[in-house]
Amino acid sequence: MTRECSLLLPRVCAALADPRQPGSDDTCLEKLLDWFRDLTQFDPTASLVQDNPCLTEFIASVLALPEPSASILSFTLRLAGILAASENRFQHLQQEKLLVRLFGRDGPLNSAVWEDASVRSGWVEGVHSMMHHQPALHFLCNGGGIDVIFTLQGDPSLFVASAASQLLVHMLTLSVESETTKPLSTKDCDWPACAQMIIKRIEDSLQSSSASHIEQSLKLLTSLFGSCRATWTEVLWLGIAKQIESFLTEETVQAQHMLANLLLNMAWSPVFCDTEGSFWALVTSALEHLTPVQAGPLAVGILRLYKCPQDVRIQALTVLLQPMDCILRAASQPLEYAGLLDESVSDPITVESLLSSKSSCASLLCQTLAHLEELLSLIRLPVDLPYTSLLRFLMTILQFCNGFLSPASPLGSTISRILINCFRVQRSALDVLAALSERKGCDTLIGSLFDVLLAYLESPNTSPTVLKKTFQATSKWLVRLQELSCSNSQWQQTEKILQDVFLVLQKRLCSPCWEVRDSSLEFLTVLIKCLRDQDEFRQSLLSSEVPRLTENLLEDPESYVRASAVTAVGHLAFITYFAPESPVIGNQYNKENTVAKLQEILSTDPEGFPRRAVISIFTKWLRQGCTGQLEDTEKFVSRVIQTVEHDLDWEVRLGGLELVEVFCSQTICQLGLPKCPYAPVSSAVTSSIHQNESLQIFCRAKLFSFLFQSLCDCDKPVGQRACDILLGLRGNFYPISTLKDSQGTEDSPAGHGIAWLQRTLRQGSLAQNFPTDGGNGVDFQDPESMMLALGTIDLEELHGELNKSSDHVEKSPQSLLQDILATGGTIEENEADCY
């Protein structure tokens, strides 16, 4: 602790303990606690409380108040817990008899202020903070604290209840691991005293008739087995396993919904996953007895495990696929579908009844679909899914939802009526469909799949959100279709599907709903990114009206649509204008016309989104070398940066800097300098001509005025990026040994200007009216002046300043203490609001 802070701390403690003072801001109190955590983290001695007696005086003062405020009492409890986290400070506070008055029976526990949840939360957090040594553990156990914490597990505040449960887990682990002299075994189990008290309470709760007590203990065990992987957890489990197993079969106790998470956490632990026998038998029993909704999370969790008995894995897969099997049977003609599963784990009638009910059908299907998507997202699947049946299931679901399937079975008719226009199920099914495109084995159904997708794209009943999901799934399957057609020469099928897709897209681009137009443009952009190298795709696209309609949407009244249109037109250009043999007639005129339109949007569009999209596209074109020869590129970049440097949107200005960075890198590479923008020049003789040429290009393009002006930008990311670019340029133009001293350059006229520039840049965003027209003796288009500026201005210092957080001064502990005093009105020299 600094001397300044130690002088301020007594006044802060006095102000906080004074009930006449206005309450301190909770954020300040949290920061104060963070500071004390930092102070105590690496210092176990009692010096902090010995050297600063105001801390113990503060705690005693708060305890002496007849009615302390809830926030100050909560702060005091948490502070005491932080201070008592080391044994030395714990003993010091014990000698002052402060801990028993805070955390014992005669403390806040029995006062009216205990009714406030923040006080109960502060008590639990304070206890948790001090639980790092045996004296604290014994203090709490001997003082009746265990009973309080078990009671708080049922607290009406979910935050307090959860914290109490976590505290019990921490205490049990601390007790066993710090007080056990020999490893615990199932035969000779001698639990330490504190651990024994906690375990006894858990066992009593599990055997009680109170559903809430059972639920609390199951939550505690779930947390314990999830966080602790020690072998003693198996000893604990063996004492309660029979009771847990009984919950699966006893209908009087409704605890089944808690068991899936408990068993999953145990399955991930090496203590249980490697054991044969009783544990996996219980998992099997759970899969059999839990309802399909309860068993689903357990099943998918087991299927993610790599260490699991094969019979359990098969059973889990069967549970997961039961709703899928039921849907396929319901949709088929009698005797047409033999069934996906050889046998069911639970009664098929249960699944059928859930799918026949309006209240549960969509929920069960959405859960099943979410679990399937979770499995498909894994790079390596521990289990083989039946992909063809899965695709047929998804197509059936989607046809049920849009009314395109009329099943003959009564169950199918019921499900179809329930699912008609069910957006939740449609969105979930389309997400799984998109994920399934990356798996092999569905090729035989691809024609039927596109029939379903096109029906959704064409239907006026498809909602905008479902349409967006349909576009995403369609784009992924079109990429898959292209891969298949390359391998098996099914060009005609691919061509027909592409033509149908673009016909639908033409209609959607003219939709009166702006979300639909926006999704359509995003879909087109994705397709071009993925398929622009494929001849069939290019021909189908260019023979449609899609390019013309896309360009028309550059003038859409909705700014989101204009932004998406800019991105789509920018990617279309890779096919229409920038391809080696572009098939578009009047190519050069169309290209110039499009560039002019985008530049007009960049300079005149009233909304930021389209302007950001334009600068992003221009940068992409530049990266891909699509802006012509170096001379043309120089003019292009110059025009763009002169537009963006005055833009009010900082993201547009930042995009302009990215364009400049790409241009600098490409120019230097083309002229033969090192490819890396930060590599120093190796040979001054061979590179001086190239240096001068590139420097002249940058000056003509007015890069330096933009870069130096950006250093004073009011938005810090802009200044940081500009500084990075200037540092990179200096690395190219100056070997480190040749950097100049700014003190020695002020004698020349250019030196005076550079010295002024250095002073102005140090003002940062406070600099007013930054001149870029040669004022104050700085000519930003003069190569010699800019070379001098790069060599003399302390860019490292600017870089350090720009990378400081905006509150780096105010964030200090001293400033925090002053803020608290100022809020209470006790700093005489600063009685105004500190903010």
Side-chain angles (χ1 to χ4, degrees):
M1 186 187 299
T2 64
R3 181 176 176 278
E4 291 79 6
C5 289
S6 64
L7 292 173
L8 287 169
L9 189 58
R11 294 163 62 196
V12 169
C13 289
L16 291 176
D18 188 347
R20 297 168 300 173
Q21 296 281 6
S24 287
D25 179 62
D26 284 347
T27 305
C28 286
L29 295 179
E30 287 294 334
K31 289 179 179 178
L32 196 54
L33 289 171
D34 288 339
W35 179 49
F36 281 115
R37 285 189 191 95
D38 292 339
L39 288 173
T40 58
Q41 188 173 8
F42 301 110
D43 180 16
T45 68
S47 59
L48 179 64
V49 286
Q50 288 171 344
D51 297 344
N52 298 279
C54 59
L55 292 172
T56 50
E57 289 167 8
F58 163 73
I59 296 172
S61 299
V62 172
L63 286 168
L65 293 173
E67 293 182 3
S69 73
S71 64
I72 289 297
L73 183 55
S74 176
F75 168 79
T76 307
L77 288 162
R78 293 158 72 195
L79 173 63
I82 292 168
L83 295 175
S86 84
E87 251 185 274
N88 292 320
R89 289 191 300 272
F90 176 88
Q91 299 296 355
H92 183 89
L93 294 176
Q94 274 286 69
Q95 287 167 11
E96 301 278 340
K97 297 195 173 7
L98 294 175
L99 293 179
V100 71
R101 292 170 62 194
L102 281 170
F103 300 103
R105 291 189 181 94
D106 298 328
L109 286 168
N110 292 317
S111 66
V113 77
W114 186 253
E115 296 299 315
D116 193 297
S118 67
V119 174
R120 300 195 300 276
S121 174
W123 190 92
V124 173
E125 193 175 327
V127 171
H128 203 139
S129 295
M130 77 166 82
M131 281 299 144
H132 290 285
H133 45 81
Q134 289 186 34
L137 195 63
H138 295 149
F139 160 73
L140 201 77
C141 292
N142 297 335
I146 296 290
D147 294 335
V148 177
I149 303 169
F150 266 96
T151 302
L152 288 175
Q153 275 197 114
D155 197 271
S157 164
L158 294 177
F159 183 81
V160 173
S162 175
S165 184
Q166 293 296 327
L167 174 56
L168 285 169
V169 170
H170 178 68
M171 290 174 65
L172 176 57
T173 306
L174 176 66
S175 175
V176 174
E177 294 181 355
S178 68
E179 298 185 294
T180 306
T181 54
K182 60 179 182 178
L184 295 169
S185 69
T186 52
K187 293 178 182 176
D188 178 24
C189 181
D190 186 17
W191 296 105
C194 290
Q196 198 165 5
M197 290 172 69
I198 296 171
I199 292 168
K200 180 72 167 60
R201 287 296 298 264
I202 293 172
E203 290 173 344
D204 290 347
S205 295
L206 291 174
Q207 292 168 8
S208 73
S209 58
S210 168
S212 61
H213 286 173
I214 292 171
E215 189 170 313
Q216 289 161 22
S217 288
L218 288 175
K219 281 182 181 176
L220 194 159
L221 290 168
T222 301
S223 180
L224 173 66
F225 290 125
S227 61
C228 184
R229 305 287 196 241
T231 52
W232 62 264
T233 54
E234 185 181 11
V235 181
L236 171 63
W237 169 251
L238 291 172
I240 58 174
K242 290 290 182 189
Q243 187 62 40
I244 300 290
E245 190 174 358
S246 70
F247 294 150
L248 290 171
T249 52
E250 287 181 14
E251 295 183 4
T252 54
V253 180
Q254 298 299 314
Q256 290 92 337
H257 64 287
M258 302 285 301
L259 296 179
N261 285 337
L262 171 63
L263 294 175
L264 263 183
N265 280 359
M266 293 174 67
W268 282 101
S269 170
V271 175
F272 298 100
C273 73
D274 292 334
T275 59
E276 294 289 339
S278 61
F279 171 70
W280 290 112
L282 181 59
V283 172
T284 302
S285 178
L287 289 170
E288 189 176 330
H289 287 96
L290 295 178
T291 68
V293 174
Q294 295 166 350
L298 178 59
V300 76
I302 288 168
L303 291 173
R304 291 175 64 105
L305 291 170
Y306 286 98
K307 280 191 173 183
C308 173
Q310 185 65 14
D311 58 329
V312 179
R313 182 174 285 138
I314 291 169
Q315 191 172 8
L317 182 61
T318 304
V319 167
L320 187 64
L321 298 182
Q322 267 188 278
M324 179 170 136
D325 181 62
C326 187
I327 289 288
L328 289 173
R329 277 190 287 104
S332 63
Q333 299 293 332
L335 304 178
E336 175 188 310
Y337 175 68
L340 174 67
L341 306 175
D342 296 329
E343 59 181 33
S344 296
V345 175
S346 56
D347 188 354
I349 301 298
T350 307
V351 178
E352 289 179 13
S353 64
L354 287 169
L355 291 175
S356 302
S357 166
K358 194 167 187 178
S359 62
S360 58
C361 178
S363 298
L364 177 58
L365 285 175
C366 285
Q367 176 180 284
T368 302
L369 291 165
H371 291 156
L372 289 167
E373 186 183 8
E374 184 182 341
L375 289 177
L376 289 169
S377 69
L378 299 177
I379 297 171
R380 272 188 62 214
L381 259 174
V383 64
D384 290 327
L385 292 174
Y387 295 123
T388 303
S389 296
L390 177 52
L391 180 55
R392 186 177 282 113
F393 162 67
L394 295 171
M395 288 160 54
T396 303
I397 288 282
L398 290 169
Q399 287 173 306
F400 273 153
C401 290
N402 68 2
F404 284 13
L405 188 64
S406 301
S409 69
L411 177 62
S413 299
T414 303
I415 295 172
S416 181
R417 282 196 303 274
I418 293 171
L419 292 181
I420 196 77
N421 290 328
C422 183
F423 299 155
R424 283 174 59 207
V425 174
Q426 287 174 324
R427 290 195 299 267
S428 298
L430 288 163
D431 283 337
V432 181
L433 191 60
L436 191 59
S437 65
E438 297 171 17
R439 303 286 174 175
K440 308 218 181 310
C442 308
D443 307 345
T444 54
L445 297 174
I446 204 160
S448 304
L449 169 62
F450 275 102
D451 289 340
V452 175
L453 289 171
L454 284 164
Y456 265 76
L457 293 175
E458 289 170 350
S459 173
N461 296 324
T462 304
S463 73
T465 51
V466 172
L467 182 69
K468 188 181 181 78
K469 295 282 187 186
T470 309
F471 275 137
Q472 290 168 352
T474 304
S475 63
K476 294 210 166 197
W477 279 98
L478 280 172
V479 173
R480 179 85 187 110
L481 177 67
Q482 203 71 41
E483 293 169 358
L484 289 173
S485 62
C486 290
S487 60
N488 59 20
S489 303
Q490 292 182 342
W491 306 113
Q492 290 181 335
Q493 182 191 28
T494 303
E495 189 177 0
K496 174 70 170 65
I497 289 172
L498 284 169
Q499 286 172 354
D500 291 342
V501 167
F502 286 125
L503 276 173
V504 175
L505 189 57
Q506 287 172 190
K507 295 176 186 175
R508 291 299 190 177
L509 288 169
C510 301
S511 170
C513 175
W514 75 263
E515 290 100 330
V516 171
R517 300 195 301 276
D518 191 52
S519 297
S520 303
L521 290 165
E522 289 175 352
F523 171 63
L524 174 62
T525 302
V526 171
L527 287 187
I528 295 170
K529 282 181 180 178
C530 298
L531 300 172
R532 77 184 196 198
D533 296 330
Q534 305 297 326
D535 291 336
E536 308 82 25
F537 171 76
R538 289 198 301 268
Q539 289 165 9
S540 299
L541 172 59
L542 296 174
S543 61
S544 71
E545 290 291 305
V546 169
R548 180 184 63 80
L549 294 170
T550 301
E551 200 155 320
N552 291 346
L553 291 175
L554 291 171
E555 300 173 7
D556 195 274
E558 177 57 53
S559 65
Y560 290 111
V561 178
R562 293 198 301 278
S564 295
V566 166
T567 306
V569 165
H571 283 84
L572 263 172
F574 290 117
I575 295 175
T576 53
Y577 311 137
F578 302 140
E581 296 179 2
S582 177
V584 177
I585 300 169
N587 181 33
Q588 190 57 36
Y589 167 76
N590 285 333
K591 175 183 173 183
E592 291 172 0
N593 193 32
T594 299
V595 172
K597 278 185 180 178
L598 295 185
Q599 285 183 327
E600 183 183 0
I601 290 171
L602 183 61
S603 57
T604 63
D605 197 294
E607 298 287 339
F609 296 110
R611 302 199 305 275
R612 291 178 202 168
V614 171
I615 195 66
S616 177
I617 282 298
F618 282 168
T619 305
K620 191 175 287 290
W621 285 357
L622 187 61
R623 281 188 199 281
Q624 307 257 340
C626 300
T627 52
Q629 298 299 317
L630 185 56
E631 187 178 344
D632 297 329
T633 302
E634 177 192 326
K635 293 175 183 175
F636 170 74
V637 170
S638 181
R639 279 198 305 272
V640 171
I641 63 174
Q642 287 177 66
T643 302
V644 302
E645 68 181 347
H646 302 297
D647 200 292
L648 297 176
D649 188 324
W650 72 270
E651 291 193 48
V652 176
R653 300 195 299 277
L654 189 65
L657 288 170
E658 187 180 351
L659 181 86
V660 165
E661 188 171 29
V662 174
F663 175 63
C664 290
S665 178
Q666 289 187 344
T667 302
I668 289 169
C669 288
Q670 285 183 36
L671 294 175
L673 290 180
K675 189 170 185 180
C676 173
Y678 300 100
V681 179
S682 56
S683 171
V685 176
T686 57
S687 62
S688 61
I689 297 172
H690 297 308
Q691 273 189 351
N692 291 334
E693 191 177 349
S694 57
L695 198 60
Q696 287 169 6
I697 289 170
F698 298 155
C699 288
R700 284 198 304 268
K702 301 185 177 177
L703 257 62
F704 287 108
S705 61
F706 179 39
L707 287 169
F708 281 113
Q709 182 180 352
S710 297
L711 288 175
C712 297
D713 199 284
C714 57
D715 288 287
K716 189 171 285 190
V718 177
Q720 290 169 331
R721 190 64 173 267
C723 196
D724 289 340
I725 295 170
L726 286 166
L727 281 166
L729 287 173
R730 191 183 70 181
N732 276 294
F733 293 129
Y734 274 102
I736 293 171
S737 59
T738 62
L739 292 178
K740 300 180 185 301
D741 181 3
S742 59
Q743 298 297 322
T745 62
E746 294 189 18
D747 297 337
S748 65
H752 282 297
I754 301 306
W756 170 86
L757 180 60
Q758 172 96 311
R759 289 193 300 273
T760 304
L761 292 174
R762 281 182 176 143
Q763 297 175 39
S765 59
L766 298 176
Q768 299 293 319
N769 301 319
F770 190 96
T772 57
D773 54 1
N776 292 282
V778 183
D779 186 353
F780 291 102
Q781 291 182 260
D782 175 43
E784 186 179 344
S785 296
M786 290 302 97
M787 194 73 171
L788 187 62
L790 285 174
T792 56
I793 290 175
D794 192 344
L795 293 172
E796 281 82 4
E797 180 190 5
L798 290 171
H799 190 269
E801 288 297 317
L802 286 165
N803 281 288
K804 284 181 181 176
S805 63
S806 57
D807 63 344
H808 66 277
V809 176
E810 292 77 8
K811 208 165 61 174
S812 68
Q814 182 180 343
S815 177
L816 173 63
L817 296 175
Q818 289 171 339
D819 279 356
I820 294 171
L821 288 172
T823 306
T826 55
I827 289 187
E828 296 171 4
E829 66 272 18
N830 182 17
E831 293 184 355
D833 187 333
C834 62
Y835 296 104

